[in-house]
Amino acid sequence: MITREDLETMTSRDLHDRAIGTAKAEDDLDWLWHLLRSIPRAEDEVGDLEDSGMDMLRTVSAINGYARADRDLPDTLRLEYVDYLLEHL
């Protein structure tokens, strides 16, 4: 079983990749949408999931796009990744 301490030793980029991969594997669009809305620049732009027309692929793509544009974003979302992985691993 993975612990918080195990996750805390991982880089933010590795946490991002692992959390996104886990959410995709579990088809957890709700959490991915929550994560997307946690991105400061995206918060006002994305609206509601039901009205957005977004699916798993588009949501992951949007999150990864923001992460590529802002290299500090995985650090900003680090706690979100750790908490999610602790619940799902």
Side-chain angles (χ1 to χ4, degrees):
M1 177 178 227
I2 198 158
T3 66
R4 179 172 291 279
E5 291 76 26
D6 295 331
L7 293 173
E8 291 293 346
T9 66
M10 296 174 68
T11 67
S12 295
R13 175 53 62 188
D14 288 342
L15 284 170
H16 169 89
D17 292 347
R18 191 162 187 175
I20 297 294
T22 299
K24 286 171 51 178
E26 294 189 10
D27 200 33
D28 194 348
L29 183 57
D30 287 335
W31 182 77
L32 288 168
W33 190 254
H34 162 78
L35 185 66
L36 181 59
R37 291 188 52 90
S38 297
I39 298 170
R41 289 187 353 201
E43 185 176 9
D44 293 330
E45 294 175 24
V46 296
D48 294 321
L49 177 58
E50 294 79 25
D51 298 331
S52 70
M54 297 282 273
D55 58 14
M56 179 70 66
L57 183 61
R58 288 185 184 118
T59 303
V60 169
S61 180
I63 292 166
N64 287 335
Y66 280 111
R68 280 190 303 277
D70 180 357
R71 299 217 182 252
D72 293 328
L73 185 61
D75 292 332
T76 303
L77 298 175
R78 186 175 179 83
L79 183 59
E80 297 282 347
Y81 301 142
V82 170
D83 288 345
Y84 182 77
L85 290 168
L86 285 173
E87 291 178 17
H88 292 88
L89 293 180

